[in-house]
Amino acid sequence: MTEATPTGVWLYAVTREPVPGELTGVAGEGVRVVEGHGLAAVVGDVPLGSFGEEALRRNLEDLDWLSTVARAHDAVIGAVVARGPAVPIRLATVYHDDDRVRAVLDERHAEFAHTLDFVTGRTEWGVKAYLDQQPEPDESAARAPASGRGAGTAYLARRRAAQTSRAEAEDRAREQVIAVHNRLAALAADACTHPPQSRALAGHHGQMVLNAAYLVEESAARGFAAEVARCDDECAAIRLQLTGPWPPYSFASLEES
Amino acid sequence: MAQRQPGSQVSTVGSGGSSSNLGDILERVLDKGIVIAGDIQVNLLDIELLTIKLRLVVASLETAKAVGINWWESDPWLSGDSGKLAAENRELRARITELEGGRAEIEDGHDD
């Protein structure tokens, strides 16, 4: 172990094929592999000045830094997955040196192999559903001249009306969302749902009512996308958005041992 | 302040392209993927906290749209300027008190 170089080994993914170079990692470093047990850990050497424990804690709270690193991490994983089956590793998994990475491959090789088998030939697709919102009634009502009632009473009445129509729309949307999720899950090898994203993170998309991921056979991808489009056409209360193909982030979990 | 933007529709299905926003990437790289302990201990729960802080900011403004997509630039929590936030809170409380005072006068004047 050389104390001279203040770097750590950042882990991106585990795959079976050695990954050719040319990939640039989260610290602008060249990405390389550490091999063991017929597996290749895709890693990069990152300076501990920015990626050490103390620095990471500080930097991860910096949204600009986090988004750059998250995109770079995702880009490396995406490039690896484009070359062959791989399991993505969660952001900010850093080891002291290659020996420690080999130790992880050694300790977990059976689980990695199992997960690799599971995701081989399959791709993750994301489907989000948003409430297809009608213009909010309280916005137009707000501009109507106040009646004889107190301004507070009128405000409360508007709020109540808005809440009722919103609740009805949500009920309708919920039924459609369940139906859509079942239809899509039937075409997938596996499916899971994530918590809906906060509106600010998602942008101006309206209220998210489904945030699901589907692991789909590559041969079935076209049919899956077509089914998403059909569901979108048929369900008036919701609007669907398809994202992907993603590396199998949502389906790469090791059994807790 | 809560301007509606009818033109800002998201691309729905059919475009066939991948439209991965920051939220899509963050939820995957932070929450998903294989979770194994590294040598460097980072509690990613701290990062999830960040999202909670964000929600609080959004809720307090009552409209996410006012925050816009550049929310992290203006969020004192995220920019580490919490003194500014405290000052802003004091200012807002003062305004609420002031407005409530004004409203009581109006309603008194109404007198149904």
Side-chain angles (χ1 to χ4, degrees):
Chain A
M1 208 152 96
T2 50
E3 305 279 345
T5 44
T7 58
V9 182
W10 178 287
L11 188 49
Y12 293 94
V14 173
T15 178
R16 281 198 173 105
E17 3 256 313
V19 179
E22 312 263 320
L23 294 177
T24 305
V26 292
E29 87 286 4
V31 168
R32 58 191 182 84
V33 296
V34 173
E35 291 179 64
H37 277 282
L39 300 170
V42 181
V43 301
D45 299 304
V46 294
L48 294 180
S50 306
F51 295 88
E53 194 165 334
E54 193 87 340
L56 264 184
R57 190 168 300 140
R58 192 177 58 245
N59 283 333
L60 287 169
E61 292 282 343
D62 174 350
L63 254 288
D64 280 339
W65 190 92
L66 175 61
S67 66
T68 306
V69 166
R71 286 185 192 282
H73 185 74
D74 176 60
V76 170
I77 293 169
V80 173
V81 166
R83 291 185 174 114
V87 290
I89 307 292
R90 183 154 85 156
L91 189 92
T93 305
V94 185
Y95 294 94
H96 292 317
D97 53 32
D98 287 4
D99 284 344
R100 295 283 301 129
V101 175
R102 268 187 288 269
V104 170
L105 292 181
D106 189 40
E107 201 180 308
R108 304 252 190 187
H109 71 274
E111 294 161 275
F112 281 128
H114 178 79
T115 309
L116 277 167
D117 288 343
F118 183 64
V119 300
T120 297
R122 295 167 171 171
T123 306
E124 175 173 336
W125 294 88
V127 175
K128 288 179 281 191
Y130 302 91
L131 268 189
D132 213 355
Q133 272 167 332
Q134 318 303 321
E136 303 237 355
D138 57 344
E139 281 196 25
S140 50
R143 286 186 208 99
S147 64
R149 316 281 299 275
T153 314
Y155 170 78
L156 286 177
R158 280 200 306 273
R159 289 277 298 172
R160 214 170 294 128
Q163 275 165 7
T164 308
S165 75
R166 206 174 298 138
E168 282 167 2
E170 280 175 16
D171 284 346
R172 241 188 342 269
R174 196 167 297 116
E175 286 166 21
Q176 294 185 354
V177 157
I178 292 167
V180 164
H181 182 58
N182 288 338
R183 280 168 69 174
L184 296 179
L187 299 179
D190 203 357
C192 68
T193 56
H194 305 318
Q197 292 171 358
S198 79
R199 201 179 290 201
L201 267 181
H204 303 281
H205 295 183
Q207 192 189 336
M208 193 182 294
V209 286
L210 175 72
N211 184 17
Y214 303 89
L215 189 67
V216 179
E217 299 287 347
E218 270 150 30
S219 58
R222 199 179 286 271
F224 182 81
E227 183 71 353
V228 174
R230 259 195 305 278
C231 289
D232 193 38
D233 285 344
E234 290 169 20
C235 300
I238 53 175
R239 187 160 38 85
L240 298 181
Q241 186 191 17
L242 176 68
T243 65
W246 289 95
Y249 286 108
S250 307
F251 303 96
S253 57
L254 295 185
E255 299 293 312
E256 288 295 323
S257 49
Chain B
M1 205 145 96
Q3 281 288 313
R4 197 156 273 276
Q5 291 175 308
S8 66
Q9 284 283 327
V10 229
S11 59
T12 46
V13 276
S15 60
S18 61
S19 54
S20 44
N21 63 35
L22 180 60
D24 287 339
I25 292 179
L26 283 183
E27 81 181 349
R28 284 180 166 81
V29 301
L30 292 178
D31 277 359
K32 312 295 162 201
I34 288 202
V35 181
I36 37 178
D39 290 336
I40 288 172
Q41 297 297 315
V42 213
N43 188 358
L44 286 189
L45 280 178
D46 291 345
I47 300 167
E48 283 148 32
L49 255 185
L50 194 143
T51 333
I52 295 167
K53 287 173 191 165
L54 168 69
R55 285 206 196 97
L56 287 176
V57 172
V58 171
S60 73
L61 292 178
E62 250 189 289
T63 162
K65 294 190 177 75
V67 182
I69 199 76
N70 296 325
W71 49 271
W72 58 83
E73 288 170 8
S74 55
D75 178 3
W77 260 309
L78 304 180
S79 60
D81 189 3
S82 56
K84 196 167 125 196
L85 189 77
E88 194 178 303
N89 276 345
R90 272 195 301 278
E91 208 175 292
L92 284 173
R93 268 196 294 272
R95 288 232 29 214
I96 289 169
T97 316
E98 193 185 312
L99 287 171
E100 278 174 349
R103 176 130 153 235
E105 280 171 30
I106 291 169
E107 294 198 343
D108 285 349
H110 238 281
D111 210 359
D112 329 275

